[in-house]
């Protein structure tokens, strides 16, 4: 057997460590040691919300990093190129990167494609800290211009005479400030990182929630509305969570990773390099309405601007 894969799973467990609360004051080591999960099927997402990089955005339909490593190990040799035609949360791509294996992933949803790219980008803790300081200063002085959200469907923002709305008007005004500040970031990788962080908290700061089938209004949403303060708090917490993973794995392996935003039926024709392995979970259009599930992020973050785009 060439290049025995016995260290594959061990390598993944070293990198996809269980998330600690944070670092203790003045320490560079995680407070909580990693204990490998047991009993979870490789093809499920059990425990995924606490896994490094996977916790950047909540996914219901995903598989575990161990599933990818098991598929790689089954080859009996070290692959040079892995393809995932349905990128989703980016599990295949980030796992292959951590194992120093070149990978290509295709994702038709432009927001999810950016989530994958953000996880794989060569960001540094120092760069993000500097950007965060600039962002906070700019946010304070940025006007809340709702015209930035003028492309949204009528049901998105509270207006007089409407029966339902996804965002209260004051939250929408705060979102407009966030979007303006994100657009002002010049570094593409950093800008994408901030956009993904904001995307991760949009639904929790709205009057709706997403279950396994689609989008629904919360119970008692009229009397228990989100606030701009909640948006600020959630954004800050999500930034810290994602920043922690960047900082802890700043020096991880950097194999070649290609992320293609497009339809895999045609996008795969762009891939000229032969693949040793294709690993994926197919979409489930009979069970999930993907357009509805990711509708809030796609519209608010500007990935779509019309019903035709949607």
């Amino acid at each position: 057997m060439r290049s025995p894969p016995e260290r594959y799973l061990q390598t993944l467990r070293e990198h996809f460590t269980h998330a600690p609360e944070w670092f203790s004051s003045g320490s560079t080591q995680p407070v909580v040691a990693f204990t490998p999960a047991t009993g979870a099927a490789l093809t499920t997402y059990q425990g995924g919300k606490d896994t490094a990089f996977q916790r950047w955005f909540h996914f219901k339909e995903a598989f575990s990093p161990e599933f990818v490593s098991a598929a790689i190990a089954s080859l009996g040799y070290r692959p040079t190129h892995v393809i995932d035609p349905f990128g989703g949360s980016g599990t295949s791509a980030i796992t292959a990167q951590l194992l120093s294996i070149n990978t290509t992933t295709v994702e038709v949803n432009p927001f999810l494609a950016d989530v994958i790219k953000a996880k794989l980008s060569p960001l540094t803790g120092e760069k993000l800290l500097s950007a965060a300081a600039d962002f906070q200063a700019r946010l304070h002085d940025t006007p809340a211009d709702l015209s930035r959200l003028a492309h949204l469907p009528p049901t998105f923002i509270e207006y007089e005479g409407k029966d339902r709305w996804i965002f209260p008007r004051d939250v929408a005004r705060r979102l407009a400030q966030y979007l303006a500040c994100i657009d002002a970031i010049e570094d593409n990788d950093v800008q994408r990182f901030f956009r993904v962080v904001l995307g991760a908290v949009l639904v929790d700061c709205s009057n709706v929630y997403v279950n396994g089938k689609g989008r629904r209004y919360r119970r008692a949403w009229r009397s228990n509305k989100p606030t701009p303060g909640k948006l600020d708090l959630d954004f800050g917490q999500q930034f810290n969570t994602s920043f922690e993973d960047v900082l802890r794995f700043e020096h991880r392996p950097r194999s070649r990773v290609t992320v293609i935003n497009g339809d895999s039926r045609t996008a795969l024709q762009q891939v000229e390099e032969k693949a040793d392995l294709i690993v994926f979970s197919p979409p489930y259009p009979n069970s999930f309405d993907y357009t509805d599930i990711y509708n809030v992020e796609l519209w608010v973050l500007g990935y779509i601007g019309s019903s035709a785009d949607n």
Side-chain angles (χ1 to χ4, degrees):
M1 181 186 300
R2 295 186 291 110
S3 302
E6 59 265 13
R7 274 189 52 81
Y8 285 172
L9 188 56
Q10 179 183 346
T11 302
L12 279 188
R13 285 175 173 165
E14 290 171 356
H15 287 287
F16 280 89
T17 55
H18 198 74
E21 291 298 322
W22 187 232
F23 297 103
S24 60
S25 178
S27 172
T28 59
Q29 297 298 320
V31 175
V32 182
F34 168 56
T35 302
T38 58
L42 297 181
T43 53
T44 71
Y45 197 47
Q46 295 178 26
K49 63 184 178 66
D50 297 319
T51 304
F53 297 106
Q54 304 299 75
R55 60 198 182 128
W56 288 27
F57 184 80
H58 175 69
F59 286 86
K60 180 180 177 62
E61 62 286 356
F63 48 75
S64 69
E66 287 85 356
F67 173 75
V68 182
S69 67
I72 291 172
S74 71
L75 295 176
Y77 63 91
R78 183 177 184 79
T80 59
H81 185 213
V82 173
I83 290 178
D84 186 342
F86 307 107
S89 64
T91 305
S92 299
I94 188 66
T95 304
Q97 183 190 56
L98 293 173
L99 294 172
S100 298
I101 299 170
N102 293 339
T103 182
T104 299
T105 188
V106 181
E107 173 51 51
V108 70
N109 183 322
F111 170 62
L112 298 189
D114 266 2
V115 171
I116 299 172
K117 291 177 182 177
K119 294 177 180 180
L120 301 166
S121 297
L123 294 166
T124 65
E126 181 179 1
K127 180 181 289 188
L128 287 180
L129 281 177
S130 176
D134 292 341
F135 185 88
Q136 289 175 326
R138 189 181 297 115
L139 188 64
H140 182 269
D141 299 325
T142 298
D145 184 6
L146 276 180
S147 66
R148 179 171 289 275
L149 301 175
H151 66 286
L152 296 182
T155 56
F156 267 66
I157 300 176
E158 175 186 10
Y159 283 104
E160 186 176 353
K162 286 185 179 181
D163 293 330
R164 290 189 173 189
W165 53 85
I166 294 177
F167 294 103
R169 190 172 178 83
D170 56 352
V171 174
R173 289 171 59 86
R174 190 59 167 166
L175 280 174
Q177 292 178 283
Y178 272 83
L179 292 169
C181 293
I182 290 173
D183 286 347
I185 299 174
E186 296 182 357
D187 186 294
N188 289 335
D189 290 338
V190 175
Q191 184 187 78
R192 182 185 299 112
F193 179 89
F194 274 77
R195 186 179 295 112
V196 168
V197 170
L198 181 60
V201 303
L202 284 178
V203 170
D204 283 344
C205 293
S206 75
N207 292 326
V208 300
Y209 70 99
V210 174
N211 64 11
K213 302 297 182 181
R215 193 177 69 217
R216 305 285 187 272
Y217 277 85
R218 303 180 191 277
R219 292 183 179 179
W221 64 271
R222 294 180 185 276
S223 59
N224 188 22
K225 300 177 182 179
T227 64
K230 175 174 172 53
L231 177 60
D232 292 340
L233 178 62
D234 286 5
F235 182 89
Q237 291 177 340
Q238 184 60 45
F239 180 93
N240 287 341
T241 295
S242 303
F243 171 78
E244 178 189 352
D245 293 340
V246 170
L247 184 64
R248 294 169 70 201
F249 306 122
E250 195 170 289
H251 303 292
R252 66 185 187 268
R254 294 291 179 183
S255 58
R256 181 185 55 74
V257 180
T258 302
V259 180
I260 303 174
N261 174 212
D263 187 330
S264 62
R265 293 172 296 181
T266 55
L268 287 176
Q269 298 176 21
Q270 305 174 31
V271 182
E272 298 181 355
E273 182 182 357
K274 293 182 178 180
D276 299 290
L277 179 68
I278 299 179
V279 54
F280 62 90
S281 174
Y284 305 104
N286 62 323
S287 181
F288 302 116
D289 184 342
Y290 288 97
T291 302
D292 194 42
I293 287 176
Y294 299 108
N295 195 263
V296 172
E297 295 84 6
L298 289 170
W299 278 103
V300 173
L301 299 177
Y303 291 100
I304 57 177
S306 68
S307 57
D309 292 341
N310 191 41

